[in-house]
Amino acid sequence: MSSELPDSAVSPPTGAGESTSGPSRRVVIATGVVVGGVVVAGGTFLADAEEAAAEGAAPSSRVSLTVNGTRRTVTVDNRTSLLDLLREHLDLTGSKKGCNAGACGACTVLVDGQRVNSCLTLAVRLEGAEVTTIEGLADGDELHPLQQAFVDEDAFQCGYCTPGQIMSGVGCIQEGHTSSPEEIREYMSGNVCRCGCYVKIVRAVEQTAARK
């Protein structure tokens, strides 16, 4: 009977100078690849961070404009909207940020007498412009006629859209688009009232235009 063992049971020969107690060559190579990959990845991450830091802050510009009769000069990020300039830099929070996409009219203000959605208007494009917000309508304690009409007609509920509604109504009256309730509704259609006070809003605009 043969005493030879099958090949699978025979231990592979130990090479000259290799120790069976230390890590194998395969383990050493694998460890080196992993560590090297971490070093490379870390180097790439650091390079990206340094590149981002080198780019610095976003471009900014100085803009001078008249807001509610007062000349204001501010330095803003070139991407700043007129709405954010008013609310965050000038602390005029009457103009509301509703949709921030020009669809609801809550941010409506007058620029050189014309209605604009301030959320879609870049502040840096308004050098020398005259801006009127809801804070600039009243004369001291005396409300603007349309503001008073909104109170008299109870033309608001939650009040969130009211500043934009009033500013749009003032613009609508100045533009002469108040010959009928239908025309007022058409030219005020960009202002959304989530409480549904449209009938009273139109009535307030109509009565103010009639007294003008």
Side-chain angles (χ1 to χ4, degrees), residues 127-197:
E127 178 66 32
E130 292 193 10
V131 178
T132 304
T133 72
I134 190 68
E135 291 90 345
L137 285 186
D139 183 9
D141 293 333
E142 183 179 353
L143 296 178
H144 183 279
L146 186 55
Q147 289 176 305
Q148 187 62 56
F150 264 66
V151 174
D152 296 340
E153 295 296 330
D154 195 23
F156 52 88
Q157 288 187 37
C158 77
Y160 194 84
C161 76
T162 303
Q165 296 280 2
I166 292 176
M167 297 308 300
S168 188
V170 170
C172 188
I173 294 170
Q174 291 178 353
E175 295 160 11
H177 297 304
T178 56
S179 60
S180 67
E182 292 74 22
E183 185 176 28
I184 294 172
R185 282 195 291 270
E186 174 67 23
Y187 282 89
M188 291 282 290
S189 60
N191 290 78
V192 176
C193 176
R194 293 169 177 81
C195 300
C197 296

Side-chain angles (χ1 to χ4, degrees), residues 48-90:
D48 290 344
E50 290 174 358
E51 182 179 350
E55 291 178 357
S60 61
S61 300
R62 286 174 63 85
V63 58
S64 295
L65 64 166
T66 301
V67 180
N68 298 331
T70 302
R71 191 71 170 176
R72 309 296 292 266
T73 300
V74 292
T75 299
V76 294
D77 184 315
N78 289 349
R79 300 165 295 181
T80 301
S81 68
L82 173 58
L83 177 59
D84 286 340
L85 170 66
L86 294 171
R87 292 179 59 84
E88 299 177 11
H89 294 264
L90 303 183

Side-chain angles (χ1 to χ4, degrees), residues 24-34:
S24 68
R25 182 170 177 270
R26 181 176 299 174
V27 172
V28 172
I29 293 174
T31 303
V33 170
V34 172

